[in-house]
Amino acid sequence: MCRLFGMSSSPRRTHATFWLLDAPDSLSDQSRREPDGTGLGFFDADGSPCLRKAPIAAYEDRCFAAEARQVESTTFLAHIRFASTGGLKRRNTHPFEQDGRLFAHNGVLENLSELDAELGPDIALVHGDTDSERFFALITREIRAHGGDVAGGIVPAARWIADRLPVYSLNLILTTADGLWALRYPDTHTLYVLERRRGGHHGDRHLDHSGTAGHMRVHSRALTGEPAVVVASERMDDNPAWRLMEPGELFHAGPDLHITRTVALPHEPHHRLTLKDLRPEAAASQQTV
């Protein structure tokens, strides 16, 4: 399945190094499915969003994805894509940017023609072929309608989809220069939160997070002396403070890492999909690698 990783040290700018793919795998690992794209989003000192992303359609793409990315930001968003909808193109690679915000999604929703009809002229926000970018466009429309309130956009957009479209998972992370939002819905995939104190669990350690299956590593020496909030698809170190988000939970880490959380979608999707309901390529993208 796709991997999500978001981190905030707001309002402090933090240096961090990301490796989204390891070097080519050993022969013993070659039977597992390889990712279809990698992406990293962050913000310049003036608050402008920056994206470093690429599909993995050729050997040179994998080499690009395996390079260390040393960046500085208040918030970070990384994604490893296993494609369910849309070809191996940059325009289909997460994260996406709209209205200065960054977004990544892990899951599947269907009946995209109905979603396109609901978006109407706001379909112009969508430049690729994915369900994820369409979901983001609906959120962006609702944020505009709610005067820039991000949570006020995420919740009605997710509820509209949950009430009207077939849903497998809507797990998402959305970032701005000073905030991070995450939604886990329903309980199909895990999404964990770590409210990391300075120095981590031991009090004197830099951040060194590693995902499974050779995908994604994050290192930040700066976080030896600064706190941070991390949201990820899996626990990425041995810190006992990792917390599994509740199904339907909307989590927000704002400026100064002030935390709010609420179960915003307490009910099941009206039409909940299972793996056996998905197209073969979509089902393959959602299984644990």
Side-chain angles (χ1 to χ4, degrees):
M1 67 179 183
C2 299
R3 298 295 198 268
L4 291 169
F5 179 93
M7 184 168 74
S8 175
S9 59
S10 178
R12 294 161 291 274
R13 291 184 64 77
T14 298
H15 284 91
T17 304
F18 287 76
W19 295 265
L20 299 182
L21 290 185
D22 280 349
D25 302 304
S26 66
L27 290 174
S28 63
D29 291 333
Q30 287 183 0
S31 61
R32 65 179 175 81
R33 181 178 175 182
E34 291 300 323
D36 298 311
T38 63
L40 173 63
F42 55 98
F43 291 85
D44 277 346
D46 66 359
S48 299
C50 302
L51 289 172
R52 304 286 185 270
K53 63 180 185 175
I56 301 176
Y59 175 77
E60 56 267 26
D61 296 333
R62 185 180 178 102
C63 291
F64 174 85
E67 292 175 0
R69 307 285 171 189
Q70 299 181 24
V71 296
E72 182 185 35
S73 185
T74 47
T75 63
F76 306 83
L77 177 56
H79 185 270
I80 297 173
R81 182 186 186 221
F82 292 84
S84 60
T85 305
L88 304 188
K89 304 290 184 182
R90 189 180 188 279
R91 67 176 184 264
N92 293 328
T93 305
H94 307 224
F96 302 103
E97 185 271 326
Q98 294 176 13
D99 285 4
R101 305 179 192 95
L102 300 177
F103 173 91
H105 165 236
N106 175 21
V108 178
L109 53 128
E110 295 189 342
N111 287 6
L112 297 186
S113 59
E114 186 173 347
L115 179 52
D116 289 351
E118 172 65 18
L119 283 170
D122 292 302
I123 194 67
L125 290 163
V126 178
H127 303 289
D129 313 304
T130 65
D131 53 350
S132 302
E133 194 181 14
R134 286 168 164 81
F135 181 20
F136 188 23
L138 188 62
I139 291 171
T140 298
R141 186 190 74 179
E142 293 300 317
I143 292 173
R144 291 173 177 175
H146 287 79
D149 180 355
V150 175
I154 292 174
V155 173
R159 285 178 177 167
W160 186 92
I161 289 171
D163 289 345
R164 292 168 175 82
L165 303 184
V167 170
Y168 185 73
S169 174
L170 296 181
N171 283 14
L172 67 87
I173 299 176
L174 186 154
T175 58
T176 63
D178 62 1
L180 180 153
W181 290 258
L183 174 69
R184 181 185 178 214
Y185 183 75
D187 61 354
T188 310
H189 293 317
T190 58
L191 200 58
Y192 290 90
V193 172
L194 174 64
E195 297 178 45
R196 188 182 191 272
R197 68 190 188 190
R198 64 189 64 191
H201 174 54
H202 300 281
D204 60 353
R205 304 287 176 86
H206 56 261
L207 181 141
D208 194 358
H209 281 179
S210 296
T212 58
H215 304 322
M216 200 179 299
R217 179 186 171 198
V218 186
H219 178 93
S220 177
R221 188 165 298 279
L223 293 180
T224 304
E226 300 289 351
V229 170
V230 179
V231 179
S233 300
E234 57 187 320
R235 295 183 180 93
M236 297 184 71
D237 68 3
D238 62 356
N239 194 318
W242 285 99
R243 177 183 65 83
L244 178 63
M245 290 177 60
E246 297 292 330
E249 179 183 338
L250 179 66
F251 174 89
H252 176 218
D256 295 318
L257 302 183
H258 177 71
I259 303 301
T260 58
R261 47 179 295 221
T262 182
V263 177
L265 281 80
H267 305 297
E268 286 272 302
H270 180 71
H271 183 176
R272 181 169 179 172
L273 297 169
T274 67
L275 273 178
K276 67 179 182 181
D277 298 320
L278 300 179
R279 293 166 285 109
E281 63 273 21
S285 76
Q286 298 304 303
Q287 298 184 64
T288 302
V289 182

